[in-house]
PDB file of all heavy atoms in Angstrom:
ATOM      1  N   PHE A 157     -43.203  16.627   7.620  1.00 94.00           N
ATOM      2  CA  PHE A 157     -43.627  16.437   6.205  1.00 94.00           C
ATOM      3  C   PHE A 157     -42.710  17.132   5.196  1.00 94.00           C
ATOM      4  O   PHE A 157     -42.346  16.595   4.159  1.00 94.00           O
ATOM      5  CB  PHE A 157     -45.107  16.770   5.944  1.00 94.00           C
ATOM      6  CG  PHE A 157     -45.609  16.585   4.569  1.00 94.00           C
ATOM      7  CD1 PHE A 157     -45.799  15.243   4.108  1.00 94.00           C
ATOM      8  CD2 PHE A 157     -45.840  17.604   3.729  1.00 94.00           C
ATOM      9  CE1 PHE A 157     -46.273  15.033   2.834  1.00 94.00           C
ATOM     10  CE2 PHE A 157     -46.327  17.365   2.507  1.00 94.00           C
ATOM     11  CZ  PHE A 157     -46.486  16.093   1.980  1.00 94.00           C
ATOM     12  N   SER A 158     -42.378  18.406   5.517  1.00 94.00           N
ATOM     13  CA  SER A 158     -41.440  19.147   4.710  1.00 94.00           C
ATOM     14  C   SER A 158     -39.998  18.454   4.569  1.00 94.00           C
ATOM     15  O   SER A 158     -39.480  18.460   3.532  1.00 94.00           O
ATOM     16  CB  SER A 158     -41.290  20.611   5.244  1.00 94.00           C
ATOM     17  OG  SER A 158     -42.608  21.182   5.295  1.00 94.00           O
ATOM     18  N   ILE A 159     -39.552  17.952   5.690  1.00 94.00           N
ATOM     19  CA  ILE A 159     -38.344  17.178   5.813  1.00 94.00           C
ATOM     20  C   ILE A 159     -38.375  16.076   4.785  1.00 94.00           C
ATOM     21  O   ILE A 159     -37.439  15.792   4.051  1.00 94.00           O
ATOM     22  CB  ILE A 159     -37.923  16.787   7.149  1.00 94.00           C
ATOM     23  CG1 ILE A 159     -37.627  18.044   7.984  1.00 94.00           C
ATOM     24  CG2 ILE A 159     -36.768  15.759   7.176  1.00 94.00           C
ATOM     25  CD1 ILE A 159     -37.481  17.723   9.442  1.00 94.00           C
ATOM     26  N   PHE A 160     -39.496  15.279   4.803  1.00 95.00           N
ATOM     27  CA  PHE A 160     -39.721  14.166   3.952  1.00 95.00           C
ATOM     28  C   PHE A 160     -39.660  14.600   2.463  1.00 95.00           C
ATOM     29  O   PHE A 160     -39.116  13.961   1.638  1.00 95.00           O
ATOM     30  CB  PHE A 160     -41.056  13.446   4.342  1.00 95.00           C
ATOM     31  CG  PHE A 160     -41.318  12.345   3.294  1.00 95.00           C
ATOM     32  CD1 PHE A 160     -40.622  11.029   3.255  1.00 95.00           C
ATOM     33  CD2 PHE A 160     -42.239  12.519   2.255  1.00 95.00           C
ATOM     34  CE1 PHE A 160     -40.847  10.182   2.316  1.00 95.00           C
ATOM     35  CE2 PHE A 160     -42.542  11.538   1.371  1.00 95.00           C
ATOM     36  CZ  PHE A 160     -41.889  10.346   1.355  1.00 95.00           C
ATOM     37  N   LEU A 161     -40.389  15.745   2.101  1.00 95.00           N
ATOM     38  CA  LEU A 161     -40.464  16.276   0.768  1.00 95.00           C
ATOM     39  C   LEU A 161     -38.941  16.548   0.170  1.00 95.00           C
ATOM     40  O   LEU A 161     -38.697  16.173  -0.880  1.00 95.00           O
ATOM     41  CB  LEU A 161     -41.287  17.440   0.633  1.00 95.00           C
ATOM     42  CG  LEU A 161     -42.871  17.270   0.783  1.00 95.00           C
ATOM     43  CD1 LEU A 161     -43.490  18.520   0.696  1.00 95.00           C
ATOM     44  CD2 LEU A 161     -43.235  16.259  -0.246  1.00 95.00           C
ATOM     45  N   VAL A 162     -38.204  17.156   0.987  1.00 94.00           N
ATOM     46  CA  VAL A 162     -36.839  17.500   0.521  1.00 94.00           C
ATOM     47  C   VAL A 162     -35.968  16.280   0.409  1.00 94.00           C
ATOM     48  O   VAL A 162     -34.857  16.317  -0.157  1.00 94.00           O
ATOM     49  CB  VAL A 162     -36.127  18.695   1.357  1.00 94.00           C
ATOM     50  CG1 VAL A 162     -37.001  19.950   1.362  1.00 94.00           C
ATOM     51  CG2 VAL A 162     -35.932  18.151   2.796  1.00 94.00           C
ATOM     52  N   TYR A 163     -36.378  15.220   1.204  1.00 95.00           N
ATOM     53  CA  TYR A 163     -35.597  13.875   1.116  1.00 95.00           C
ATOM     54  C   TYR A 163     -35.832  13.148  -0.172  1.00 95.00           C
ATOM     55  O   TYR A 163     -34.951  12.295  -0.672  1.00 95.00           O
ATOM     56  CB  TYR A 163     -35.915  13.170   2.290  1.00 95.00           C
ATOM     57  CG  TYR A 163     -35.190  11.763   2.330  1.00 95.00           C
ATOM     58  CD1 TYR A 163     -33.843  11.708   2.419  1.00 95.00           C
ATOM     59  CD2 TYR A 163     -35.949  10.572   2.303  1.00 95.00           C
ATOM     60  CE1 TYR A 163     -33.132  10.504   2.408  1.00 95.00           C
ATOM     61  CE2 TYR A 163     -35.237   9.335   2.326  1.00 95.00           C
ATOM     62  CZ  TYR A 163     -33.822   9.306   2.415  1.00 95.00           C
ATOM     63  OH  TYR A 163     -33.166   8.126   2.478  1.00 95.00           O
ATOM     64  N   ILE A 164     -36.920  13.473  -0.915  1.00 95.00           N
ATOM     65  CA  ILE A 164     -37.324  12.661  -2.015  1.00 95.00           C
ATOM     66  C   ILE A 164     -36.280  12.651  -3.134  1.00 95.00           C
ATOM     67  O   ILE A 164     -35.872  11.578  -3.653  1.00 95.00           O
ATOM     68  CB  ILE A 164     -38.725  13.106  -2.670  1.00 95.00           C
ATOM     69  CG1 ILE A 164     -39.818  12.796  -1.655  1.00 95.00           C
ATOM     70  CG2 ILE A 164     -38.978  12.554  -3.972  1.00 95.00           C
ATOM     71  CD1 ILE A 164     -41.205  13.281  -2.009  1.00 95.00           C
ATOM     72  N   PRO A 165     -35.692  13.830  -3.544  1.00 94.00           N
ATOM     73  CA  PRO A 165     -34.654  13.754  -4.596  1.00 94.00           C
ATOM     74  C   PRO A 165     -33.408  12.946  -4.137  1.00 94.00           C
ATOM     75  O   PRO A 165     -32.830  12.158  -4.984  1.00 94.00           O
ATOM     76  CB  PRO A 165     -34.181  15.239  -4.664  1.00 94.00           C
ATOM     77  CG  PRO A 165     -35.323  15.926  -4.198  1.00 94.00           C
ATOM     78  CD  PRO A 165     -35.895  15.168  -3.081  1.00 94.00           C
ATOM     79  N   SER A 166     -33.016  12.984  -2.844  1.00 94.00           N
ATOM     80  CA  SER A 166     -31.879  12.234  -2.443  1.00 94.00           C
ATOM     81  C   SER A 166     -32.221  10.590  -2.365  1.00 94.00           C
ATOM     82  O   SER A 166     -31.395   9.857  -2.609  1.00 94.00           O
ATOM     83  CB  SER A 166     -31.352  12.676  -1.105  1.00 94.00           C
ATOM     84  OG  SER A 166     -30.885  14.017  -1.191  1.00 94.00           O
ATOM     85  N   MET A 167     -33.455  10.431  -1.886  1.00 95.00           N
ATOM     86  CA  MET A 167     -33.966   9.005  -1.783  1.00 95.00           C
ATOM     87  C   MET A 167     -34.001   8.389  -3.120  1.00 95.00           C
ATOM     88  O   MET A 167     -33.567   7.239  -3.389  1.00 95.00           O
ATOM     89  CB  MET A 167     -35.266   8.994  -1.222  1.00 95.00           C
ATOM     90  CG  MET A 167     -35.894   7.514  -0.948  1.00 95.00           C
ATOM     91  SD  MET A 167     -37.527   7.557  -0.240  1.00 95.00           S
ATOM     92  CE  MET A 167     -38.497   8.401  -1.393  1.00 95.00           C
ATOM     93  N   THR A 168     -34.454   9.140  -4.214  1.00 94.00           N
ATOM     94  CA  THR A 168     -34.498   8.720  -5.620  1.00 94.00           C
ATOM     95  C   THR A 168     -33.064   8.396  -6.115  1.00 94.00           C
ATOM     96  O   THR A 168     -32.800   7.484  -6.718  1.00 94.00           O
ATOM     97  CB  THR A 168     -35.139   9.776  -6.492  1.00 94.00           C
ATOM     98  OG1 THR A 168     -36.446  10.146  -6.048  1.00 94.00           O
ATOM     99  CG2 THR A 168     -35.223   9.268  -7.971  1.00 94.00           C
ATOM    100  N   GLN A 169     -32.132   9.226  -5.778  1.00 93.00           N
ATOM    101  CA  GLN A 169     -30.734   9.125  -6.065  1.00 93.00           C
ATOM    102  C   GLN A 169     -30.196   7.741  -5.524  1.00 93.00           C
ATOM    103  O   GLN A 169     -29.561   6.983  -6.159  1.00 93.00           O
ATOM    104  CB  GLN A 169     -29.926  10.239  -5.604  1.00 93.00           C
ATOM    105  CG  GLN A 169     -28.364  10.077  -5.721  1.00 93.00           C
ATOM    106  CD  GLN A 169     -27.569  11.277  -5.171  1.00 93.00           C
ATOM    107  OE1 GLN A 169     -27.986  12.363  -5.349  1.00 93.00           O
ATOM    108  NE2 GLN A 169     -26.571  10.906  -4.430  1.00 93.00           N
ATOM    109  N   PHE A 170     -30.508   7.593  -4.276  1.00 94.00           N
ATOM    110  CA  PHE A 170     -30.020   6.333  -3.586  1.00 94.00           C
ATOM    111  C   PHE A 170     -30.578   5.038  -4.142  1.00 94.00           C
ATOM    112  O   PHE A 170     -29.936   4.062  -4.412  1.00 94.00           O
ATOM    113  CB  PHE A 170     -30.366   6.367  -2.107  1.00 94.00           C
ATOM    114  CG  PHE A 170     -29.997   5.188  -1.266  1.00 94.00           C
ATOM    115  CD1 PHE A 170     -28.651   4.778  -1.308  1.00 94.00           C
ATOM    116  CD2 PHE A 170     -30.918   4.536  -0.466  1.00 94.00           C
ATOM    117  CE1 PHE A 170     -28.269   3.652  -0.537  1.00 94.00           C
ATOM    118  CE2 PHE A 170     -30.494   3.540   0.306  1.00 94.00           C
ATOM    119  CZ  PHE A 170     -29.225   2.995   0.259  1.00 94.00           C
ATOM    120  N   LEU A 171     -31.872   5.055  -4.310  1.00 94.00           N
ATOM    121  CA  LEU A 171     -32.606   3.925  -4.958  1.00 94.00           C
ATOM    122  C   LEU A 171     -32.028   3.661  -6.295  1.00 94.00           C
ATOM    123  O   LEU A 171     -31.945   2.480  -6.709  1.00 94.00           O
ATOM    124  CB  LEU A 171     -34.043   4.103  -4.963  1.00 94.00           C
ATOM    125  CG  LEU A 171     -34.761   4.209  -3.559  1.00 94.00           C
ATOM    126  CD1 LEU A 171     -36.278   4.509  -3.656  1.00 94.00           C
ATOM    127  CD2 LEU A 171     -34.596   2.846  -2.819  1.00 94.00           C
ATOM    128  N   ALA A 172     -31.828   4.678  -7.139  1.00 92.00           N
ATOM    129  CA  ALA A 172     -31.316   4.522  -8.487  1.00 92.00           C
ATOM    130  C   ALA A 172     -29.943   3.770  -8.460  1.00 92.00           C
ATOM    131  O   ALA A 172     -29.700   2.894  -9.290  1.00 92.00           O
ATOM    132  CB  ALA A 172     -31.150   5.776  -9.185  1.00 92.00           C
ATOM    133  N   MET A 173     -29.136   4.201  -7.489  1.00 91.00           N
ATOM    134  CA  MET A 173     -27.829   3.565  -7.454  1.00 91.00           C
ATOM    135  C   MET A 173     -27.870   2.057  -6.883  1.00 91.00           C
ATOM    136  O   MET A 173     -27.134   1.181  -7.292  1.00 91.00           O
ATOM    137  CB  MET A 173     -26.863   4.391  -6.500  1.00 91.00           C
ATOM    138  CG  MET A 173     -26.428   5.667  -7.163  1.00 91.00           C
ATOM    139  SD  MET A 173     -25.107   6.430  -6.318  1.00 91.00           S
ATOM    140  CE  MET A 173     -23.699   5.427  -6.642  1.00 91.00           C
ATOM    141  N   ILE A 174     -28.786   1.890  -5.988  1.00 91.00           N
ATOM    142  CA  ILE A 174     -29.059   0.538  -5.403  1.00 91.00           C
ATOM    143  C   ILE A 174     -29.430  -0.423  -6.525  1.00 91.00           C
ATOM    144  O   ILE A 174     -28.965  -1.560  -6.551  1.00 91.00           O
ATOM    145  CB  ILE A 174     -30.117   0.593  -4.277  1.00 91.00           C
ATOM    146  CG1 ILE A 174     -29.652   1.183  -3.033  1.00 91.00           C
ATOM    147  CG2 ILE A 174     -30.594  -0.833  -3.999  1.00 91.00           C
ATOM    148  CD1 ILE A 174     -28.574   0.391  -2.256  1.00 91.00           C
ATOM    149  N   PHE A 175     -30.280  -0.031  -7.375  1.00 90.00           N
ATOM    150  CA  PHE A 175     -30.830  -0.935  -8.458  1.00 90.00           C
ATOM    151  C   PHE A 175     -29.948  -0.793  -9.851  1.00 90.00           C
ATOM    152  O   PHE A 175     -30.468  -1.330 -10.772  1.00 90.00           O
ATOM    153  CB  PHE A 175     -32.318  -0.694  -8.638  1.00 90.00           C
ATOM    154  CG  PHE A 175     -33.126  -0.975  -7.458  1.00 90.00           C
ATOM    155  CD1 PHE A 175     -33.686  -0.045  -6.741  1.00 90.00           C
ATOM    156  CD2 PHE A 175     -33.335  -2.364  -7.133  1.00 90.00           C
ATOM    157  CE1 PHE A 175     -34.502  -0.365  -5.576  1.00 90.00           C
ATOM    158  CE2 PHE A 175     -34.145  -2.737  -6.115  1.00 90.00           C
ATOM    159  CZ  PHE A 175     -34.588  -1.750  -5.292  1.00 90.00           C
ATOM    160  N   GLN A 176     -28.891  -0.112  -9.737  1.00 88.00           N
ATOM    161  CA  GLN A 176     -28.085   0.101 -11.007  1.00 88.00           C
ATOM    162  C   GLN A 176     -27.447  -1.221 -11.320  1.00 88.00           C
ATOM    163  O   GLN A 176     -26.892  -1.939 -10.527  1.00 88.00           O
ATOM    164  CB  GLN A 176     -27.000   1.184 -10.705  1.00 88.00           C
ATOM    165  CG  GLN A 176     -26.036   1.307 -11.949  1.00 88.00           C
ATOM    166  CD  GLN A 176     -24.983   2.282 -11.688  1.00 88.00           C
ATOM    167  OE1 GLN A 176     -25.134   3.217 -10.919  1.00 88.00           O
ATOM    168  NE2 GLN A 176     -23.818   2.023 -12.296  1.00 88.00           N
ATOM    169  N   GLU A 177     -27.598  -1.645 -12.575  1.00 86.00           N
ATOM    170  CA  GLU A 177     -26.950  -2.879 -13.027  1.00 86.00           C
ATOM    171  C   GLU A 177     -25.489  -2.540 -13.219  1.00 86.00           C
ATOM    172  O   GLU A 177     -25.010  -1.657 -13.672  1.00 86.00           O
ATOM    173  CB  GLU A 177     -27.530  -3.323 -14.335  1.00 86.00           C
ATOM    174  CG  GLU A 177     -29.032  -3.719 -14.291  1.00 86.00           C
ATOM    175  CD  GLU A 177     -29.578  -4.240 -15.619  1.00 86.00           C
ATOM    176  OE1 GLU A 177     -28.733  -4.220 -16.579  1.00 86.00           O
ATOM    177  OE2 GLU A 177     -30.748  -4.576 -15.673  1.00 86.00           O
ATOM    178  N   MET A 178     -24.575  -3.572 -12.790  1.00 89.00           N
ATOM    179  CA  MET A 178     -23.178  -3.460 -12.814  1.00 89.00           C
ATOM    180  C   MET A 178     -22.550  -4.732 -13.017  1.00 89.00           C
ATOM    181  O   MET A 178     -22.645  -5.709 -12.239  1.00 89.00           O
ATOM    182  CB  MET A 178     -22.742  -2.742 -11.565  1.00 89.00           C
ATOM    183  CG  MET A 178     -21.195  -2.556 -11.556  1.00 89.00           C
ATOM    184  SD  MET A 178     -20.715  -1.531  -9.982  1.00 89.00           S
ATOM    185  CE  MET A 178     -21.467  -2.615  -8.673  1.00 89.00           C
TER     186      MET A 178
END
Side-chain angles (χ1 to χ4, degrees):
F157 182 69
S158 300
I159 290 171
F160 172 74
L161 286 180
V162 299
Y163 179 60
I164 290 176
S166 299
M167 180 178 65
T168 304
Q169 172 186 315
F170 177 53
L171 293 176
M173 290 193 68
I174 287 288
F175 294 106
Q176 176 184 331
E177 294 184 2
M178 180 174 54

